[in-house]
């Protein structure tokens, strides 16, 4: 930086000096010319008046007249001398400073008399710069009868020019000094400051101080650099964390799943096969904003889980293009390379009409299957028109997949979730040599519950087209196998957890999904940091409280948000000393709000928070803060770190990643998790306080238990939960799922003949 500054300043000095000197040189030349012209003029005027007077004196032949004339002129400024000469150049009269016997002067005088002309010139007289005017004198008849010499000292012109040059040098030096000083100040303020702060930040990264944040305002200034450095820094942090964890575990003879290990594993398992993932939600959404097209990553556990797999093996992700600018950025085959900053895999977008989205996504998937699979006492709605859209959209995705798979020898396909129950069969019928898995991210209900669905057989048959069906927990697998056993003609093998139907074998296995676990080590000052974070967050919210609880959910009726608020109310009733001290912050992301039940539920949550607040609120304290907007991952992590207690009270949930995210965020090994027994997460996190969310009183008591928990017990519980999440993290989930799919014994079935019907599922309006 210092060398750069000096080089810059030196270049400026040389540049400014050259420009100033060149422009001054022209000015000075002009000045010099003016001075010479001035002297010429003065000399000519003097010569003219001398000549006139001398001619008169000569005519009257009066020698004293000439002497008086000469002495009268002898004191003029810069005048060396004047002389009057006869036509033979003999001096008639002259001042002492002039000597016409000097060769130069006499030659000029002679030439002026002989040629009868005025000569005005600059020359040297004994190394002295002079100006000479030689002019002829005429008698009354016009004949030349002599001449005059007027000699001026021209040395003062050079002195004057030198003085001007001296002034120029002083001016240039002053300019250079001012410019150099200003440049130095600008450099220090606007460049050195940000660059050295960025350097401090990068040094902190290098030395492993993960908590240090990038200097964002400086990075605004260095935005081009920032675009490159920020992702680099993030990858470096991740790589360091992974390396530290791996190194630690290597000592303990264990091996942890990291993004790198997953990449390696997937490449080994897939060999020359290509991976295709299908989900409704896309990983990158392009939208129009005021300043052009922007790209967002949806806050989705599914996206977090699937993306590392795709990045690892350069696969293709087929998803619904839901952004209003999505179509602008794809190629002519509806594809785009992502992630935008570091393209590693292909996103193939499928377009749906508004009616299709209404019927398939809002209707059948979220008003039908969602409440059907979650026991939360919201009645599923089944409309024949929604089913038709669901069928057609599944078919549309099958078409897109078939196009993408064309020409692939051993494609491996991972289908995600309840939006695509029909897709495995549709795909297998057309591409029998594809290995197909579907992961069902929500619970599977009991056969009795599932039986109310008018298209139960079609859904089951569609799913059984897959080679592997994954659920979060064993009980969902059992429910599924029981459902198949009861509804479809097939052979369920309880020993191997598989179903054989029409000669096709489907394995049904649990793969508990998880989160990334970035922070390997326990930060020494993490506990203090969490207190500071809490103070900062409460100040931002304008709340005063001593204890903080946190809940993070989409505002969905399955999440038990009303029961949670009521548990807070019960806790405050039964533990009045906590009134004025305990505040529960609910982050509630709006979701699926075009569905009536969701819109109603949103109002119910607001009303319940208001009711409880009105009952207890005092001063700057209130029991419930409802933050009804989407929060990004970093924002949510601040709340996780600040909370004394996190409440996950879903009435029914496939897994619930909030519970695991909270545990992963607590590198201070503090904080208590209250967890519904009806979540998949309760099977993994035994050290949470497990509650029945329908039992409001007991859940309220769990809050009291959490806040009064002994610090050693709290740390003990958190350590064990963190170990579990760390070991069975998201990379472990992805690795075991792909491993299981690739290991299945796979009997290649013949390609369908062109005359064969590709589909075995029929659209029907009821069983
Ligand atoms: C929840 C479920 C996921 C599902 C997602 C869909 O997170 O657990 O299984 O894929 O909702 O959310 P969306 O916002 O796409 O409807």
């Amino acid at each position: 930086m210092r060398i750069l500054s000096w080089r810059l300043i030196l270049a400026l000095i040389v540049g400014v000096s050259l420009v100033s000197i060149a422009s001054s040189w022209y000015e000075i030349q002009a000045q010099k010319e003016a001075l010479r012209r001035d002297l010429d003029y003065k000399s000519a005027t003097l010569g003219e008046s001398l000549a006139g007077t001398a001619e008169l004196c000569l005519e009257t032949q009066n020698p004293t007249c000439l002497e008086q004339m000469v002495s009268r002129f002898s004191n003029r400024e810069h005048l060396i001398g004047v002389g009057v000469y006869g036509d033979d150049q003999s001096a008639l009269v002259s001042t002492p400073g002039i000597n016409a016997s000097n060769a130069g002067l006499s030659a000029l005088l002679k030439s002026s008399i002989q040629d009868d002309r005025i000569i005005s010139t600059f020359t040297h007289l004994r190394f002295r710069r002079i100006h000479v005017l030689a002019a002829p004198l005429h008698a009354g008849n016009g004949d030349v009868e002599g001449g005059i010499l007027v000699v001026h000292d021209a040395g003062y012109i050079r002195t004057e020019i030198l003085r001007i040059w001296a002034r120029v040098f002083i001016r240039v030096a002053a300019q250079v000094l001012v410019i150099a000083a200003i440049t130095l100040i600008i450099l220090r303020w606007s460049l050195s400051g940000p660059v050295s702060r960025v350097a401090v930040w990068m040094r902190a990264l290098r030395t492993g101080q993960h908590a240090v944040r990038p200097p964002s305002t400086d990075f605004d200034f260095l935005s081009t650099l920032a675009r490159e450095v920020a992702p680099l820094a993030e990858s470096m942090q991740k790589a360091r964390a992974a390396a530290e964890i791996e190194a630690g575990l290597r000592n303990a003879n264990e091996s942890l799943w990291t993004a790198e290990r997953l990449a390696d594993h997937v490449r080994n398992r897939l060999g020359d096969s290509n991976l295709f993932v299908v989900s409704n939600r896309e990983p990158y959404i392009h939208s129009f904003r005021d300043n052009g097209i922007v790209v967002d990553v949806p806050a989705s556990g599914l996206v977090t889980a699937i993306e590392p797999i795709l990045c690892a093996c350069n696969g293709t992700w087929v998803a619904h293009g839901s952004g209003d600018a999505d179509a602008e950025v794809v190629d002519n085959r509806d594809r785009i390379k992502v992630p935008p900053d570091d393209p590693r895999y292909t996103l193939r977008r499928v377009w749906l009409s508004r009616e299709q989205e209404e019927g398939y996504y809002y209707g059948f998937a979220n008003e039908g299957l969602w409440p059907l699979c979650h026991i939360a006492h919201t009645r599923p709605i089944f409309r024949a028109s929604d089913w038709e859209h669901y069928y057609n959209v599944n078919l549309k995705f099958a078409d897109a997949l078939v196009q993408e798979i064309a020409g692939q020898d051993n494609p491996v396909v991972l289908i995600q979730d309840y939006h695509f129950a029909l897709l495995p069969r549709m795909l297998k019928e057309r591409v029998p040599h594809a290995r197909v898995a579907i992961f069902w991210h929500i619970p599977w209900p009991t056969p009795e519950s599932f039986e109310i669905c008018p298209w139960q057989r079609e859904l089951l048959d569609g799913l059984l087209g897959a080679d592997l069906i994954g659920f979060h927990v064993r009980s969902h697998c059992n429910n599924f196998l029981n459902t198949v056993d009861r509804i479809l003609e097939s052979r369920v093998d309880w020993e191997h957890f598989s179903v054989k139907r029409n000669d096709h074998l489907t394995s049904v296995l649990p793969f508990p999904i998880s989160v990334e676990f970035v922070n390997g080590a326990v930060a020494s000052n993490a506990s203090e940091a969490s207190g500071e974070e809490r103070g900062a967050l409460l100040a931002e919210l304008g709340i005063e409280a001593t204890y903080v609880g946190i809940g993070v959910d989409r505002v969905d009726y399955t999440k038990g948000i009303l029961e949670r608020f009521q548990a807070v109310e019960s806790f405050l009733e039964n533990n009045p000393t906590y009134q004025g001290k305990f505040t529960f912050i609910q982050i509630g992301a709006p979701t699926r709000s075009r569905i009536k039940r969701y819109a109603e539920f949103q109002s119910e949550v607001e009303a319940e928070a208001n009711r409880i607040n009105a009952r207890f609120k005092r001063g700057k304290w209130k029991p419930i803060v409802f933050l009804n907007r989407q929060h990004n991952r970093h924002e949510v992590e601040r709340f996780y770190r600040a909370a004394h207690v996190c409440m996950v009270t879903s009435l029914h949930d496939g897994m619930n990643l909030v519970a695991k995210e909270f545990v992963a965020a607590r590198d201070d090994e503090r904080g208590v998790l209250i967890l519904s027994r009806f979540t998949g997460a309760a099977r993994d996190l035994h050290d949470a306080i497990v509650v029945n969310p329908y039992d409001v009183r007991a859940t309220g008591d769990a809050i009291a238990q959490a806040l009064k928990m002994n610090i050693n017990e709290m740390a003990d519980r958190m350590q064990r939960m963190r170990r579990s999440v760390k070991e069975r993290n998201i990379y472990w989930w992805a690795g075991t799922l792909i491993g299981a799919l690739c290991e299945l014994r796979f009997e290649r079935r013949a390609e369908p003949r062109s005359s064969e019907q590709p589909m075995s599922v029929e659209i029907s309006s009821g069983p």
Side-chain angles (χ1 to χ4, degrees), residues 339-646:
D341 289 342
D342 176 21
R344 307 271 281 276
Y345 65 92
T346 304
L347 170 60
R348 161 74 195 269
R349 285 174 167 151
V350 175
W351 314 115
L352 302 181
S353 67
R354 191 163 167 90
E355 295 71 39
Q356 281 176 324
E357 197 184 349
E358 281 291 335
Y360 136 86
Y361 172 78
Y362 288 105
F364 197 76
N366 285 315
E367 283 186 284
L369 289 179
W370 181 267
L372 177 72
C373 292
H374 289 90
I375 305 165
H377 312 287
T378 289
R379 192 183 191 283
I381 299 172
F382 295 115
R383 301 179 193 95
S385 57
D386 289 348
W387 165 249
E388 204 168 317
H389 283 305
Y390 186 81
Y391 176 90
N392 286 329
V393 170
N394 273 244
L395 200 53
K396 199 166 198 176
F397 273 79
D399 291 343
L401 261 170
V402 169
Q403 276 172 16
E404 295 299 323
I405 287 175
Q408 303 272 333
D409 277 345
N410 302 301
V412 174
V413 183
L414 288 184
I415 301 169
Q416 305 300 316
D417 234 347
Y418 58 99
H419 311 91
F420 296 115
L422 305 180
L423 186 53
R425 171 78 60 206
M426 290 173 168
L427 186 63
K428 262 312 225 212
E429 292 284 343
R430 292 162 70 180
V431 193
H433 63 280
R435 274 178 192 269
V436 178
I438 181 163
F439 192 83
W440 196 262
H441 289 257
I442 59 175
W444 190 273
T446 59
E448 295 76 13
S449 302
F450 190 75
E451 262 180 342
I452 66 166
C453 176
W455 297 280
Q456 54 191 278
R457 294 176 59 78
E458 287 84 346
L459 291 169
L460 290 175
D461 183 70
L463 284 166
L464 288 174
D467 302 297
L468 174 66
I469 302 176
F471 292 98
H472 288 303
V473 293
R474 178 72 67 188
S475 65
H476 299 159
C477 298
N478 292 348
N479 283 350
F480 178 78
L481 291 174
N482 275 325
T483 311
V484 170
D485 215 5
R486 183 154 161 162
I487 296 173
L488 277 192
E489 210 171 290
S490 59
R491 192 152 56 78
V492 173
D493 178 346
W494 283 99
E495 202 173 327
H496 297 102
F497 273 79
S498 61
V499 181
K500 192 148 200 173
R501 175 167 157 82
N502 299 335
D503 277 346
H504 177 66
L505 196 67
T506 303
S507 292
V508 180
L509 296 170
F511 301 93
I513 202 167
S514 189
V515 295
E516 210 182 358
F517 191 96
V518 179
N519 299 331
V522 177
S524 57
N525 64 344
S527 185
E528 259 168 59
S530 116
E532 281 168 22
E533 194 82 272
R534 186 158 53 245
L537 281 174
L538 288 171
E540 282 165 33
L541 296 171
I543 296 284
E544 278 174 8
T546 316
Y547 302 97
V548 168
I550 180 72
V552 181
D553 303 87
R554 289 179 301 105
V555 185
D556 190 300
Y557 53 80
T558 61
K559 299 296 177 184
I561 299 174
L562 296 178
E563 291 75 3
R564 194 177 308 168
F565 288 178
Q566 287 153 14
V568 170
E569 181 181 29
S570 159
F571 161 70
L572 292 173
E573 266 169 12
N574 297 321
N575 301 272
T577 52
Y578 283 92
Q579 290 181 20
K581 291 185 182 156
F582 177 77
T583 291
F584 184 75
I585 301 171
Q586 175 65 49
I587 293 180
T591 180
R592 305 172 191 167
S593 18
R594 269 157 53 193
I595 297 174
K596 188 165 159 258
R597 178 68 192 108
Y598 280 84
E600 285 167 3
F601 186 68
Q602 165 79 30
S603 312
E604 287 167 22
V605 169
E606 279 165 25
E608 196 63 351
N610 291 341
R611 181 186 67 76
I612 297 169
N613 280 339
R615 182 173 166 198
F616 292 99
K617 190 176 179 319
R618 61 165 106 123
K620 284 188 137 189
W621 173 80
K622 59 179 172 176
I624 293 172
V625 176
F626 179 37
L627 304 177
N628 191 201
R629 69 167 173 89
Q630 181 92 47
H631 287 62
N632 67 35
R633 205 171 114 204
H634 294 295
E635 289 174 311
V636 170
E637 272 178 6
R638 286 185 73 200
F639 285 96
Y640 284 150
R641 281 195 298 269
H644 290 95
V645 54
C646 174

Side-chain angles (χ1 to χ4, degrees), residues 209 253 295 334 421 478 583 629:
Q209 296 169 34
N253 215 11
V295 55
D334 299 328
N478 292 348
T583 291
R629 69 167 173 89

Side-chain angles (χ1 to χ4, degrees), residues 20 51 116 125 171 186 297 304 397 403 418 491 513 656:
S20 298
D116 188 11
L125 178 64
R171 197 184 69 213
I186 290 175
V297 176
T304 320
F397 273 79
Q403 276 172 16
Y418 58 99
R491 192 152 56 78
I513 202 167
N656 194 295

